[in-house]
Amino acid sequence: MDTTKIKEKFNSLYGEDGVLYTSPGRINLIGEHTDYNGGFVLPGAVDKAMYCEIKPNGRDKVRAFALDLNEPTEFSLHEEDKPKEGWAKYIFGVCREMNKKGREISGFDIVISGDVPLGAGMSSSAALECAVGFALNDLFSLGFTRRELALIGQATEHNYVGVKCGIMDQFISCLGKKGSLIRLDCRSLEYEYVPFAPKGYKLVLINTCVEHNLAAGGEYNKRRESCERVVAEIAKKHPEVKLLRDATLDQLKEVKGKTDATDYIRSEFVIEEIQRLLDTCEALQKNDYETVGKKMYETHEGLSKKYSVSCPELDFLNEQAKKYGVTGSRVMGGGFGGCTINLVKEDKMDEFVKEASEAYEKEFHIKPKAYDVVIGDGARKL
Ligand code: GLA
């Protein structure tokens, strides 16, 4: 992204130059709604990111400006002085979480902007938290590791945004590496880089342009609560089960009838999805992309029918993918709108994107957007 406008705005608002930082959005190949259940995920950072130019101002206030919304705000760093603008809560939350860990941050000036599409399931919010976290850590020499910065971003979502998210988005935004996915164990936070350059295939996202908002209606948090209730029931007999990651399908079957039917079917999806990710990693090692694609379709089916986080627009794009011989396709991220991720043979890509987009527009009177996936680096100073 061209960052000239950020620099110009910063200078015109605050009369000097700051330092520019960035942190990316993400894709996730497979492993959805598994992170807060202690399972595995397989995300990669993308070349779309949030940017912030920032400089300490020697006062006790933060002066912030959201360039894409053309909106200024000012707040102090005390708990009671929470800003009212939604976007500013991410900045405020990161500062507060750092403060809770015993670090002192004084006032600063900041301009934010970015090209991660909002509400597209590509983690624009995590990208913002991580850009701000990385910047403050560097400018005020706070000594946090990238892993700790990811946890600070996640805590910001929990405590200042109200989404009880897992660790996937912030982790990949902080630790992403060009050309690689990360296979992350969300229980231990152990991870390994998995080089991803499938020969003859491409990843493409299609954005339904139906904006998802995970905080609205609390649907995301309700999914998490369903899983937690089932864990509590299983743990009565199997106290070693602390998360769905620890449970087997047989243990789940034992509580059938004792748990709410919706909770049950959601938990079944999660346990299956954790196994699907492991199977996908095995297929990746063998360069068996047909199996990877098959698993992606299975995930879509599960997210739609069992976990109930799809929507007619996403299901339609999934059907289109099947129609045009796309190798794998599924709803990506939290769901309820946003993008599908598609693994498609290079020679089928153009036809699929064109035909599916036209059919989609005809059906829903919304113009979808397609993005080629380029796996990029995590948070950094520019
Ligand atoms: C959102 C959350 C993540 C994860 C995904 C679903 O992106 O922020 O923690 O739960 O949904 O996989």
Side-chain angles (χ1 to χ4, degrees):
M1 195 182 93
D2 180 13
T3 52
T4 327
K5 288 213 171 86
I6 305 177
K7 296 222 135 271
E8 283 169 7
K9 192 71 200 177
F10 193 95
N11 199 285
S12 81
L13 282 173
Y14 312 124
E16 53 188 349
D17 290 336
V19 186
L20 200 56
Y21 296 86
T22 185
S23 202
R26 59 115 187 84
I27 54 135
N28 183 29
L29 189 65
I30 202 158
E32 222 63 89
H33 290 275
T34 47
D35 57 357
Y36 53 85
N37 286 300
F40 298 90
V41 289
L42 199 56
V46 292
D47 61 343
K48 300 190 187 328
M50 294 302 292
Y51 296 79
C52 64
E53 181 158 350
I54 180 165
K55 185 165 191 182
N57 61 18
R59 308 149 95 227
D60 63 353
K61 289 236 171 208
V62 175
R63 295 187 295 185
F65 191 86
L67 190 57
D68 306 320
L69 305 171
N70 200 26
E71 192 169 74
T73 190
E74 216 175 282
F75 51 88
S76 80
L77 291 169
H78 307 296
E79 195 63 40
E80 328 68 68
D81 198 16
K82 188 171 172 175
K84 57 183 187 316
E85 297 82 3
W87 58 270
K89 286 184 186 138
Y90 294 97
I91 305 173
F92 179 76
V94 168
C95 296
R96 291 298 314 146
E97 290 299 333
M98 288 179 152
N99 191 263
K100 287 179 200 168
K101 296 199 163 18
R103 310 301 207 278
E104 277 308 320
I105 299 167
S106 55
F108 55 89
D109 297 333
I110 179 168
V111 172
I112 61 164
S113 178
D115 60 358
V116 189
L118 302 182
M122 294 173 71
S123 297
S124 51
S125 48
L128 177 56
E129 289 146 14
C130 297
V132 172
F134 192 85
L136 294 174
N137 193 41
D138 192 47
L139 280 178
F140 291 100
S141 305
L142 303 177
F144 289 115
T145 62
R146 285 177 183 262
R147 193 168 162 276
E148 287 169 328
L149 291 175
L151 289 164
I152 285 169
Q154 182 193 25
T156 299
E157 292 279 347
H158 287 197
N159 302 327
Y160 296 90
V161 183
V163 179
K164 303 283 180 200
C165 66
I167 190 63
M168 168 168 73
D169 304 351
Q170 292 80 7
F171 200 91
I172 190 66
S173 192
C174 286
L175 285 112
K177 194 164 97 181
K178 199 170 175 180
S180 285
L181 305 174
I182 284 185
R183 178 184 179 279
L184 171 65
D185 178 333
C186 299
R187 187 172 57 187
S188 65
L189 295 189
E190 277 166 18
Y191 63 97
E192 62 178 293
Y193 289 103
V194 180
F196 186 75
K199 248 203 159 130
Y201 294 84
K202 282 234 143 83
L203 281 179
V204 62
L205 306 183
I206 302 201
N207 189 352
T208 57
C209 295
V210 174
E211 261 193 43
H212 84 156
N213 177 343
L214 295 184
E219 285 301 323
Y220 181 91
N221 291 352
K222 283 183 198 155
R223 298 299 178 286
R224 185 172 186 147
E225 285 157 19
S226 284
C227 299
E228 286 168 358
R229 279 193 292 268
V230 169
V231 165
E233 195 57 46
I234 297 176
K236 285 183 186 165
K237 188 163 161 215
H238 304 280
E240 71 284 6
V241 173
K242 305 266 189 273
L243 295 157
L244 279 181
R245 157 78 181 279
D246 310 318
T248 61
L249 283 174
D250 284 338
Q251 288 171 334
L252 178 67
K253 278 189 196 126
E254 289 172 10
V255 300
K256 195 162 193 169
K258 293 185 197 149
T259 54
D260 173 82
T262 304
D263 290 353
Y264 184 90
I265 196 81
R266 288 177 180 172
S267 301
E268 187 175 79
F269 163 77
V270 171
I271 296 174
E272 287 169 351
E273 179 72 355
I274 293 171
Q275 185 56 45
R276 240 188 318 268
L277 183 140
L278 297 174
D279 296 344
T280 303
C281 286
E282 239 185 83
L284 278 174
Q285 272 187 343
K286 298 183 203 140
N287 292 329
D288 175 4
Y289 296 105
E290 293 306 310
T291 300
V292 173
K294 196 167 144 261
K295 296 287 159 196
M296 290 170 77
Y297 277 116
E298 285 173 20
T299 293
H300 184 88
E301 182 80 7
L303 285 170
S304 180
K305 305 270 163 54
K306 294 186 176 176
Y307 218 62
S308 305
V309 295
S310 188
C311 61
E313 293 84 352
L314 287 164
D315 288 342
F316 182 88
L317 285 178
N318 190 260
E319 286 306 319
Q320 290 292 313
K322 284 183 197 151
K323 185 169 165 192
Y324 290 100
V326 169
T327 309
S329 176
R330 63 180 198 80
V331 43
M332 188 183 75
F336 311 105
C339 292
T340 61
I341 178 166
N342 304 276
L343 177 69
V344 49
K345 284 218 174 92
E346 262 167 12
D347 57 359
K348 291 200 169 148
M349 164 111 158
D350 291 345
E351 188 199 12
F352 163 60
V353 171
K354 182 172 171 290
E355 299 294 335
S357 301
E358 280 174 15
Y360 181 84
E361 194 176 350
K362 210 165 152 204
E363 181 81 11
F364 297 105
H365 309 288
I366 307 171
K367 222 179 177 39
K369 292 195 180 111
Y371 316 112
D372 287 347
V373 173
V374 179
I375 312 271
D377 282 321
R380 61 202 182 274
K381 185 175 175 174
L382 290 174

